[in-house]
Amino acid sequence: MHKTTHDAGMLTEAAAAQAAGDDAEAWRRRDLAVLWHPCTQMREHPDTLPLLPIARGEGPWLVGRDGHRYLDAISSWWTNLFGHAEPRIAAAIARQATTLEHVILAGCSHAPAVELAERLLAIAPREPGREPLTKVFYADNGSAGVEVALKMAFHWFRNRGVEGRTKFIALDNGYHGETLGALAVGDIPLYRRVYAPLLAEALFAPSPDAYQCEPGETPADRARRAAGTLGELLQRHADEVCALILEPRVQCAGGMRMHDPLYLKLVRELCDAHGVFLIADEIAVGFGRTGTMFASEQSGVQPDLLCLSKGLTGGSMPLAAVLATQSIYDGFLDDSREKAFLHSHSYTGNPLACAAALATLDIFASDGVIARNRVTSQRMADLAAAFADHPHVADVRQAGMIVAFELTRNGDKRTPFDSAARIGLRAYRAALDRGVLLRPLGDVLYWMPPYCIDDDALQLLAATTRAAMDHAIEEAACA
Ligand SMILES: *Cc1c(COP(=O)(O)O)cnc(C)c1O
């Protein structure tokens, strides 16, 4: 570029910014004319909520059509692991696209589906003395994966002539997706309440959430207490129940509420004692998010059914996998077609998605991701520690690559903000103005960045989080 004078350079820059702003605005209008966005009160666009047209992604950054860069601090709904447009994943998808883009997986087979199943089973949680997970069933998103696991557990008993085990146990404050079956075992009122008349009845047990510890109670005490109540529930209802489903270690959609790994260990014992399947929904916490490859490992527990999605493809393609034990699989072998597992999605085991997942597993191996994350999560811990004495922060908690801040009126647990104050929304807007994409869950601000985030970006994240918090609280007080 030829810059004749300093002023001309400034003018060019200003003109470019103006053009980018106009371009973003044009896309906003085209979008709102035709799109219906997920989990969004469309009435709030464009005035209350800014819509952010994105041109491309680059590492942990999103580049807006407005020319600004935004740090993707929530890994695009917890999917992204190694940054956007990761070249090795992109290349794997491109290679696969010119070889075999898709084929029906009923009756046909292909290498990416087979290899991915082999490799997932090889790294799956293992418990000494328990029969390992040996079979993989694919679906194409997390909710569909949950449906698969629920149907499998129910159908397995049915195939053995047990008709009474028609219910599931789930946890208070849990989340498993938004299709009707998954919603029935979820307990987030915002998603559930309206659709409640459509949902199958589930049994709910208390959450082991450490935030709800009584004064003097440790997270392990809380885990024991929650497991105690679960034990009573099983005592009364075990013969009506086919499976228990939970999110190990962190209830993510429920506000990044974390619990002691002891809980899953106690649940495993209770499920064994009552002959109930244990379904671990590691859709959000799997693939290194809580510090270990799978969160169940921290409890030394292997579930009977393991649901994976989100990070499975590094955040590039929709795919889910349900891992099952041999006995579950064997329970469907019969001469009758009705005893087969009757579930099929058109894109089951899509080769492009499997190729992306294989590239993701390669990166885990070649880049020593879990070890590197230990360094990154320590740095996150150091930065988060500075929030502990913030006057409105009631709790700072961390599990590996997830950090959460619970905001309350007086900085103690008993004084939550009025939800009408919309602290989260205000913080979202304030952070966006400062170049960071946070998407708070109610009054919980959290960090769940792509693993490739560097120290400069982490410092920006910490500084922006604090500024966004303060801005949101001040703004709400004035409103
Ligand atoms: C996101 C999520 C799901 C649902 O996955 P989708 O791909 O969004 O349908 C299920 N369970 C948990 C724990 C999740 O975080």
Side-chain angles (χ1 to χ4, degrees):
M1 187 166 73
H2 298 279
K3 271 199 223 168
T4 44
T5 68
H6 182 68
D7 278 358
M10 295 277 284
L11 267 181
T12 316
E13 240 172 67
Q18 178 68 42
D22 292 349
D23 175 66
E25 190 45 39
W27 277 101
R28 252 177 233 125
R29 275 199 301 274
R30 279 176 69 176
D31 177 300
L32 293 175
V34 294
L35 283 195
W36 192 343
H37 288 261
C39 204
T40 301
Q41 173 48 264
M42 292 305 295
R43 190 85 180 265
E44 296 188 340
H45 280 312
D47 298 332
T48 314
L49 255 184
L51 183 65
L52 191 60
I54 299 299
R56 60 197 169 80
E58 199 177 271
W61 298 93
L62 295 165
V63 183
R65 297 198 71 101
D66 58 8
H68 297 301
R69 284 152 64 85
Y70 299 92
L71 182 64
D72 186 355
I74 54 155
S75 297
S76 284
W77 258 345
W78 322 338
T79 59
N80 192 285
L81 300 188
F82 311 126
H84 290 280
E86 209 291 330
R88 290 167 287 182
I89 296 175
I93 296 170
R95 262 196 314 277
Q96 189 59 45
T98 52
T99 314
L100 177 68
E101 80 303 336
H102 188 60
V103 63
I104 174 174
L105 199 67
C108 293
S109 177
H110 57 82
V114 175
E115 276 180 47
L116 179 59
E118 289 170 350
R119 290 180 60 183
L120 288 175
L121 293 167
I123 59 168
R126 240 353 218 282
E127 200 181 318
R130 185 177 299 280
E131 69 159 334
L133 297 163
T134 53
K135 289 290 188 285
V136 175
F137 193 97
Y138 291 115
D140 39 25
N141 61 72
S143 305
V146 166
E147 302 282 339
V148 164
L150 296 174
K151 281 174 74 178
M152 267 181 187
F154 162 78
H155 197 164
W156 186 90
F157 280 107
R158 202 84 187 167
N159 280 349
R160 301 188 54 160
V162 177
E163 309 234 320
R165 289 198 185 236
T166 57
K167 291 196 177 125
F168 302 102
I169 294 182
L171 300 190
D172 292 345
N173 195 45
Y175 176 86
H176 301 286
E178 286 163 55
T179 52
L180 294 176
L183 207 52
V185 290
D187 181 44
I188 311 287
L190 178 64
Y191 304 132
R192 183 188 166 94
R193 213 182 290 130
V194 186
Y195 303 105
L198 305 180
L199 304 179
E201 187 197 341
L203 300 167
F204 286 89
S207 168
D209 175 13
Y211 185 71
Q212 294 173 46
C213 282
E214 300 290 338
E217 196 180 36
T218 66
D221 293 339
R222 167 85 197 169
R224 269 186 224 101
R225 186 154 62 91
T229 311
L230 171 63
E232 290 160 20
L233 188 70
L234 278 162
Q235 205 80 48
R236 288 196 302 277
H237 295 285
D239 54 0
E240 306 160 46
V241 173
C242 53
L244 178 149
I245 184 165
L246 53 64
E247 299 155 271
R249 194 73 182 85
V250 187
Q251 293 187 309
C252 293
M256 300 295 160
R257 293 291 180 83
M258 302 175 184
H259 59 261
D260 195 288
L262 171 66
Y263 181 70
L264 185 60
K265 207 168 169 51
L266 300 174
V267 170
R268 177 73 273 184
E269 287 164 13
L270 287 168
C271 286
D272 286 344
H274 292 278
V276 164
F277 287 126
L278 172 58
I279 304 172
D281 177 352
E282 293 222 18
I283 288 167
V285 294
F287 298 99
R289 198 56 86 169
T290 69
T292 45
M293 192 62 170
F294 299 106
S296 303
E297 290 169 32
Q298 293 172 34
S299 310
V301 159
Q302 182 209 301
D304 303 301
L305 291 158
L306 174 65
C307 300
L308 303 173
S309 186
K310 292 201 167 111
L312 173 58
T313 61
S316 63
M317 299 278 295
L319 179 68
V322 179
L323 278 57
T325 60
Q326 189 69 31
S327 333
I328 292 179
Y329 174 84
D330 287 345
F332 291 80
L333 301 178
D334 195 87
D335 296 332
S336 149
R337 259 207 97 194
E338 280 216 350
K339 288 199 174 176
F341 184 52
L342 302 171
H343 193 98
S344 49
H345 293 291
S346 313
Y347 283 99
T348 301
N350 174 254
L352 300 174
C354 290
L358 286 165
T360 298
L361 294 181
D362 285 343
I363 294 173
F364 268 104
S366 64
D367 292 12
V369 171
I370 299 288
R372 202 186 53 199
N373 279 358
R374 272 197 282 276
V375 179
T376 311
S377 60
Q378 183 53 55
R379 186 69 188 128
M380 287 163 69
D382 295 343
L383 290 164
F387 288 76
D389 52 10
H390 187 284
H392 294 282
V393 172
D395 192 32
V396 179
R397 49 185 179 264
Q398 180 176 21
M401 296 295 290
I402 308 174
V403 170
F405 309 95
E406 190 100 22
L407 299 183
T408 65
R409 262 187 302 123
N410 298 336
D412 63 56
K413 295 181 185 184
R414 293 175 310 271
T415 58
F417 280 107
D418 186 345
S419 64
R422 306 207 67 178
I423 297 294
L425 174 72
R426 294 176 195 279
Y428 174 77
R429 285 190 306 224
L432 216 49
D433 284 344
R434 294 162 174 78
V436 175
L437 180 66
L438 290 174
R439 200 182 153 91
L441 295 157
D443 302 333
V444 177
L445 269 59
Y446 68 94
W447 302 340
M448 198 160 168
Y451 302 162
C452 60
I453 191 165
D454 65 16
D455 203 60
D456 287 349
L458 275 176
Q459 286 187 44
L460 170 76
L461 176 55
T464 305
T465 302
R466 181 171 280 266
M469 262 178 204
D470 292 343
H471 182 94
I473 291 162
E474 213 165 287
E475 195 181 71
C478 298

